[in-house]
Amino acid sequence: MAKQKKKSVHLHMNLGTLIFLIIVIYLMAYILSYLGKSKLAIYEVSASDIVDSIDGTGVILRKETLVHTEQSGYINYYVQEGSMVRQNGTVYTVDTTGKVRKYLKQMLEKKNSVSQDEKEQVVEKLKVFSEGYTDNNFSLLYETQNDISSTLLAYTDTMLAQNKEELAQKYGQSAYITAASPKEGLVSFLSDGMEKLEQAKVSKNIFVNKVKMKDLRTDKKQKAGKPVYRLVEGQDWQLMIPVNKNDYDRLKKREEDRQTIQVTFHKDNFVAAAQYHCLKQNDSYYVILSFDNYIQRYLNQRYLYVSLTLSETKGLKIPSSSLVKKEVYKIPKSFLVNGGNSSKKEQVNIMKTNKKGEKVLTQAAVNVYKSDEDYVYVYSANLTKGTVLSETNKEKIYTLKNKSQIQGVYIVNRGYTVFKQIEMVERNEDYCIVFAKNSGIELYDRIILNSDTVKEDQVIY
């Protein structure tokens, strides 16, 4: 049988195609390598502060009473919301027959317009609402609605005061009865029924079931004995805030040194100082703020959300993720010596024994990261545990012991990573504040944000 010839297959590859494939493989390898690397991030050091504060909602305690009408009739006020009245000063009148009310209605119909001053009052209240409203402060909508309603009701009262003599001549003095204030104080036409609230009566339920302020004014006929306004006496008031056990202990400890604290009212971002003391009552913990001013500012508030500033630390702000620890040796300051051509003490004398049994010294450069009154913290590749250091005169020696750890960051101002020690004063989950004076970093230094992705002396660009 004739032998069959084997067919040979020859692969012919173009040189250009081969080069193209090599380039594609290289690019793919480079891209995969790049995607697998941790991305380097750089942060610029900024100036900032960390505020240690306690937030909470407190209930207002003040000297206030509800004043009731002694006569049935239509109530017309002589004073505006928030006005200060003296003792025996006229606050309102009672229209016992309804004739005065009818007269005022006619006067309003003739007027048929709103004065510029009245318009400005309403616009101002809407402006305050617009600037202060947030989704977390929805109650401000109802407060503004009450304020505008109060302003509109006050127009009738103002008209009554302006036409008092005419009314007396037309209907006689018996047509209405004048009511005077029993004491001096601020007049409010809003009430929540908690005017008799005292410190001893405060409980958890008061903060769960919050009662809203209601307007006491109405154009309907009032029966004798109905409350017609609230009278707030004096300028002293308190804000009683429930706190947890941990915050109570912090405030209690602080109280030993300082009895005042900075308070920020979130309703209008007003800041004031207040005397305070801590109280444990019915298995609950409270801080009580005492004020002798600003009572008119929160006249129609029962609850206030505030922040208590325990401390405020200023310094350099750096991300917590940039922190890195470095192992160093702690040595006495006296073992740090000058270099041969330098006046700076950045060298140490290492003592060794030569073949002849003689003690000889060799100098090694060190990086000094931190110092205190007696010691310095240094690093050098030439230093290991057990290395003996000596003063220049060989009278004293110091043997290196276990390493210590210091905290710092990597700065990259010159294109490569350099470790710089920092002294931290405050820290939260995301950021920390360090002292510029006692740290190796400065404002606007560029530092590695993700310190776990690099090493010291690594070139990054």
Side-chain angles (χ1 to χ4, degrees), residues 177-384:
I177 299 171
T178 301
S181 173
K183 295 179 182 180
E184 180 181 87
L186 291 168
V187 172
S188 172
F189 301 126
L190 300 182
S191 169
D192 58 3
M194 297 174 63
E195 288 76 21
K196 294 183 180 181
L197 181 64
E198 298 175 351
Q199 179 180 300
K201 296 180 181 179
V202 174
S203 64
K204 292 180 180 179
N205 291 334
I206 286 177
F207 299 95
V208 175
N209 304 311
K210 296 179 181 178
V211 182
K212 293 182 179 180
M213 290 279 184
K214 295 181 179 179
D215 203 322
L216 298 173
R217 289 173 295 183
T218 178
D219 58 357
K220 297 179 181 180
K221 189 175 182 178
Q222 290 278 50
K223 293 182 179 180
K226 286 287 185 179
V228 287
Y229 70 94
R230 177 167 54 99
L231 187 67
V232 179
E233 300 175 53
Q235 288 292 320
D236 296 333
W237 59 287
Q238 293 181 321
L239 189 65
M240 193 166 177
I241 309 167
V243 294
N244 57 42
K245 179 63 165 60
N246 181 55
D247 288 340
Y248 174 86
D249 291 339
R250 293 167 67 199
L251 287 163
K252 189 72 175 176
K253 184 177 180 180
R254 185 184 184 278
E255 189 181 3
E256 296 173 2
D257 300 321
R258 288 172 286 179
Q259 286 78 44
T260 61
I261 196 167
Q262 179 178 295
V263 184
T264 301
F265 298 88
H266 288 262
K267 176 178 171 58
D268 51 6
N269 291 322
F270 180 67
V271 180
Q275 297 281 334
Y276 83 94
H277 69 276
C278 300
L279 173 70
K280 183 179 179 182
Q281 179 173 285
N282 299 327
D283 296 324
S284 296
Y285 300 94
Y286 300 93
V287 56
I288 301 175
L289 309 177
S290 299
F291 301 89
D292 58 7
N293 206 339
Y294 322 118
I295 196 167
Q296 190 168 10
R297 194 180 192 103
Y298 305 110
L299 179 65
N300 291 327
Q301 307 296 318
R302 179 62 63 187
Y303 299 93
L304 288 173
Y305 179 53
V306 299
S307 292
L308 310 180
T309 302
L310 277 67
S311 65
E312 186 174 0
T313 306
K314 297 183 181 295
L316 299 178
K317 178 182 177 181
I318 60 174
S320 298
S321 62
S322 66
L323 298 176
V324 62
K325 291 182 178 180
K326 186 175 182 64
E327 292 186 333
V328 294
Y329 285 104
K330 178 182 177 182
I331 66 172
K333 273 187 174 181
S334 59
F335 286 85
L336 204 59
V337 298
N338 299 333
N341 300 316
S342 173
S343 60
K344 294 183 179 180
K345 292 187 175 182
E346 297 176 340
Q347 306 273 338
V348 291
N349 293 321
I350 299 176
M351 177 180 283
K352 294 182 178 180
T353 304
N354 62 16
K355 294 180 179 180
K356 297 179 181 181
E358 299 172 336
K359 302 293 184 182
V360 295
L361 301 180
T362 58
Q363 281 198 333
V366 294
N367 291 327
V368 180
Y369 292 111
K370 181 182 177 182
S371 64
D372 52 36
E373 189 173 345
D374 300 314
Y375 293 91
V376 290
Y377 297 79
V378 301
Y379 172 81
S380 173
N382 297 311
L383 301 181
T384 57

Side-chain angles (χ1 to χ4, degrees), residues 42-53:
I42 296 175
Y43 173 85
E44 187 173 82
V45 176
S46 60
S48 187
D49 59 272
I50 286 183
V51 178
D52 183 14
S53 63

Side-chain angles (χ1 to χ4, degrees), residues 349-352 361 384 386-390 397-400:
N349 293 321
I350 299 176
M351 177 180 283
K352 294 182 178 180
L361 301 180
T384 57
T387 299
V388 178
L389 304 182
S390 171
I397 61 172
Y398 182 82
T399 303
L400 296 183

